[in-house]
Amino acid sequence: MKPWMKYAAPSILAVLLACTGGRPTDIGVRDGRLAPCPDSPNCVSSQASDGKHRIDPLRYEGTEEKAKERLLAILKGIGRSNIVLDDKHYLHAEFTSTLFRFVDDGEFLFNDKEKTIQIRSAARSGYYDFGVNRRRMEVIRSGLVSQP
């Protein structure tokens, strides 16, 4: 065994254990807004003002109920997703990665007057997400746009 290998396994294990976390208590809707993103680059939000975290909200036509049905179908079609809360104008979903079982939280806040869905997606742990949350939200956007 190479000398560095005796340190690698415990270090990798420590990093993986540090990346597990329980369901956050600081997310949800407060005063009509989703929680702000932390300073780390592992979060995107349509309500963020800085370019690092900013993503456009989802847009829909028709009724909020139909848009929510379409969104739920898309979320259920994404592998390893779980709907945590389905409230009247708000959805909270968890997305679990395949390999290391990291969990990301996705939030969706409907505004039927503006025909928009404010979105937020954040890694529950770690610092970088390598763009996973942004890409997932863009996949959801594409699915919502392509559905009638």
Side-chain angles (χ1 to χ4, degrees), residues 8-22 97-103 124-126 130:
S11 297
I12 291 169
L13 181 60
V15 167
L16 292 178
L17 290 176
C19 290
T20 60
S97 68
T98 305
L99 186 57
F100 294 116
R101 311 299 290 162
F102 295 127
V103 178
R124 195 171 280 181
S125 55
F130 303 101

Side-chain angles (χ1 to χ4, degrees), residues 41-45 50-56 104 119 121-122 129-141:
N42 60 2
C43 175
V44 294
S45 172
D50 63 293
K52 175 171 67 171
H53 297 108
R54 176 84 178 135
I55 189 169
D56 288 337
D104 296 337
I119 56 176
S121 187
D129 72 343
F130 303 101
V132 169
N133 284 291
R134 184 175 298 278
R135 283 192 304 275
R136 181 184 303 114
M137 287 300 183
E138 293 302 342
V139 165
I140 292 168
R141 179 189 318 281

